[in-house]
Every structure is written in structure tokens, then in C-alpha cells.
Amino acid sequence: MAVAPKDRWFEDFPVGEIAEFGDHVVTAEEIVAFGRRYDPQPMHADPAAAAATAWGGLIASGWMTCAIAMRLVV
């Protein structure tokens, strides 16, 4: 019998379980806007400076990806 999500603890989730909550397309403009406001590191907030990093371009802040994931779940 499946347990309702609100009644589950971390140990109740089997390793490898997959749950889908929707999708969200992330644009460069969204990455830069979030980066400039909340995580102003060059790889998040400045496309020109991001091009010179090890990643070779913009990357979304981890905080941004967590916020998107939280919004999709909740």
C-alpha cells in the first residue's frame, strides 16, 4: 500500500525512486537576473565573465535550481 507523501520520512523513500512534478525552461536572462540579485558570482551574473570560467558560459546558481525545484514540488 502506498503511503501518502505527507506521511513519509526520508527513510521511506526508496533509493532510485523517481517523481515528476512538471518542468521549467530556464533562460539566460532568468539566470542573469537571479544571479545579479541573489548570487552575484561571474558565472551566474555576467555572460562575458562567465565565458572565461571553467564552464565556458553562464550556469544557473545552485540557489536558483533549488528555488525552481521547490516551486515545482510545492
Side-chain angles (χ1 to χ4, degrees):
M1 177 166 122
V3 178
K6 66 179 182 175
D7 297 328
R8 293 172 84 180
W9 301 89
F10 283 117
E11 62 269 15
D12 296 327
F13 291 91
V15 173
E17 179 179 6
I18 296 173
E20 294 186 24
F21 299 99
D23 57 21
H24 177 85
V25 176
V26 178
T27 66
E29 292 77 18
E30 186 178 12
I31 292 171
V32 170
F34 187 97
R36 286 182 179 162
R37 183 161 184 184
Y38 298 110
D39 196 354
Q41 298 181 68
M43 67 281 215
H44 306 317
D46 182 345
T53 66
W55 297 278
L58 283 174
I59 60 171
S61 165
W63 295 113
M64 180 179 174
T65 58
C66 287
I68 292 168
M70 178 61 76
R71 180 62 182 104
L72 290 171
V73 172
V74 179

